[in-house]
Amino acid sequence: MNDLFRESVYFGFFLALAAYWIGLKIQKRFPYTICNPLLLCTILIVILLTAFHIDYDTFDQGAKYITYFLTPSTVCLAIPMYKQIQVLKKNLAAILISLVSGCIAAAFTIWALCAVFGLDAVIYHSLQPKSITTAIAMGVSEELGGNPTLTVAAVIITGLFGGIAAKLVCRLFRITNPIAVGLACGNSAHAIGTSKALEFGEVEGAMSSLAVVTAGVITVVLAPMFSGLIS
Amino acid sequence: MNYMKYVKQLAVIMAVSFAGEFLNRVLPLPVPASVYGLVLLFLLLITKAVKLEQVEETGSFLVKIMPVLFIGPCVSLMTVMGSVADKLVSILAVIGISTVVVMAVTGTVAQAFLDKKADKEEKAHE
């Protein structure tokens, strides 16, 4: 089966879009948070690829052209941020303090949980930067002695999970202010959280974008301080 | 010739992405091209070197389709799952719990500050 698809550039491209479209349809029919189109589409593609013995590289031959747009798309997060600049200026202290608190909470919980579950140092260092954007996370992981591939996986699972959990967590902890919702999404679930925050509204999306950038910077500084706790 | 607008907007966005890529190569920090680009475009917009009209429609489109752009990286999970299979449950637990904690702490702290500020402003108005 692989031979049939190996030459094709458009197979993966088509499959990715078609699966996402099906994911959207399912979400429309069953509007629960767990029916996240990105999650459904990922599961669908993995099942199809496994069932037909098509390897990931064959799929990625087409899908990578979609992934290429991730950088310009992330760059464009500056647009909602700019549009909300007044909100940003007015609440600068609240924004910075909550982001720093969140990053410290991340460092502590990841350390405590890894210790509880008896995970080794390599896994600990790979998980440390999991709440920040992929490329920064990989750099931090490498710096600390983690496994960058595992870090990428952890970052993506974090994003998927964060996007799904956002609504429930915000309701549970009575986080209602759009600024607070956006910061919570971006600080915990980076760009995938931001794409969710943008669905909530423009202020949420802008604050989440800001959180992604800021959390990345804070974690670069913070992670090495915590890295010696498990060795 | 209205569609030229979109071509120009895309050109500006790609130029900033390219500049981000350049900074990523030149500077020795673990910061991705996309984040350099984001900060750069933000600064360009603030300083009015780039006007909002020069990026708005195309940029907003790219932001809106963002979840779709994550399909490739998400599917790539299937290639690493095997190597940590025996510790998968613990790893998923660490990820799940810590993600909720970070979300709750960030949101609650921000909410508390913003509520306090709103109270103060209300009193000032009285």
Side-chain angles (χ1 to χ4, degrees):
Chain A
M1 203 65 173
N2 250 333
D3 296 335
L4 191 65
F5 296 111
R6 194 165 288 150
E7 308 282 303
S8 174
V9 177
Y10 301 110
F11 160 68
F13 204 124
F14 164 71
L15 178 60
L17 295 182
Y20 194 81
W21 184 66
I22 294 171
L24 282 174
K25 284 270 169 205
I26 297 176
Q27 193 201 32
K28 216 170 182 185
R29 177 78 184 72
F30 304 99
Y32 309 112
T33 353
I34 190 76
C35 290
N36 176 296
L38 186 57
L39 177 68
L40 294 171
C41 146
T42 305
I43 294 170
L44 191 63
I45 294 171
V46 171
I47 292 173
L48 281 174
L49 294 182
T50 316
F52 289 99
H53 302 289
I54 302 165
D55 40 63
Y56 173 74
D57 290 333
T58 306
F59 166 75
D60 198 45
Q61 208 162 283
K64 71 178 175 202
Y65 296 105
I66 301 178
T67 315
Y68 278 160
F69 278 94
L70 206 44
T71 297
S73 173
T74 309
V75 169
C76 290
L77 288 175
I79 296 169
M81 262 169 71
Y82 174 70
K83 283 185 179 166
Q84 300 298 329
I85 193 153
Q86 296 307 329
V87 180
L88 202 162
K89 273 188 191 159
K90 216 178 131 202
N91 301 292
L92 199 61
I95 292 169
L96 286 179
I97 292 168
S98 60
L99 292 179
V100 171
S101 322
C103 289
I104 293 172
F108 265 112
T109 42
I110 294 167
W111 163 67
L113 290 166
C114 282
V116 168
F117 290 114
L119 296 170
D120 61 48
V122 174
I123 294 182
Y124 170 56
H125 294 144
S126 307
L127 294 182
Q128 268 192 294
K130 67 169 198 53
S131 273
I132 61 178
T133 186
T134 319
I136 306 185
M138 279 174 81
V140 172
S141 168
E142 217 159 351
E143 207 70 30
L144 301 176
N147 172 356
T149 318
L150 180 58
T151 301
V152 173
V155 167
I156 290 162
I157 297 172
T158 299
L160 267 173
F161 179 77
I164 293 166
K167 216 173 196 166
L168 189 71
V169 173
C170 288
R171 197 183 304 153
L172 213 63
F173 291 89
R174 295 200 181 80
I175 303 161
T176 51
N177 189 307
I179 300 172
V181 172
L183 293 172
C185 286
N187 208 26
S188 62
H190 51 87
I192 306 183
T194 302
S195 65
K196 186 76 203 171
L198 281 157
E199 286 175 24
F200 295 152
E202 180 121 293
V203 176
E204 285 91 334
M207 290 305 125
S208 188
S209 315
L210 176 75
V212 172
V213 178
T214 318
V217 176
I218 298 171
T219 306
V220 167
V221 179
L222 208 62
M225 298 180 197
F226 282 80
S227 70
L229 292 175
I230 294 178
S231 52
Chain B
M1 297 293 265
N2 203 16
Y3 62 85
M4 275 311 289
K5 183 171 80 179
Y6 300 107
V7 177
K8 282 185 199 158
Q9 291 183 344
L10 192 59
V12 172
I13 293 163
M14 287 302 171
V16 177
S17 304
F18 174 55
E21 209 178 14
F22 175 76
L23 290 173
N24 170 264
R25 295 271 162 87
V26 177
L27 301 175
L29 303 167
V31 175
S34 56
V35 172
Y36 279 127
L38 199 173
V39 174
L40 191 61
L41 183 56
F42 188 59
L43 293 176
L44 289 170
L45 286 168
I46 289 178
T47 56
K48 313 266 185 223
V50 168
K51 292 191 199 81
L52 193 57
E53 306 91 77
Q54 289 173 310
V55 288
E56 197 171 13
E57 286 91 351
T58 310
S60 302
F61 171 74
L62 283 173
V63 168
K64 273 191 198 122
I65 61 163
M66 202 176 211
V68 176
L69 310 180
F70 280 108
I71 297 173
C74 284
V75 176
S76 79
L77 287 179
M78 66 188 272
T79 60
V80 290
M81 281 311 185
S83 61
V84 288
D86 54 327
K87 293 190 178 94
L88 198 60
V89 177
S90 328
I91 292 176
L92 289 180
V94 175
I95 292 175
I97 298 169
S98 67
T99 304
V100 171
V101 170
V102 178
M103 202 178 267
V105 169
T106 310
T108 312
V109 173
Q111 181 86 33
F113 264 87
L114 295 166
D115 283 349
K116 216 162 113 192
K117 203 169 173 183
D119 278 353
K120 240 186 231 165
E121 270 164 26
E122 220 167 276
K123 273 188 195 133
H125 277 296
E126 276 168 12

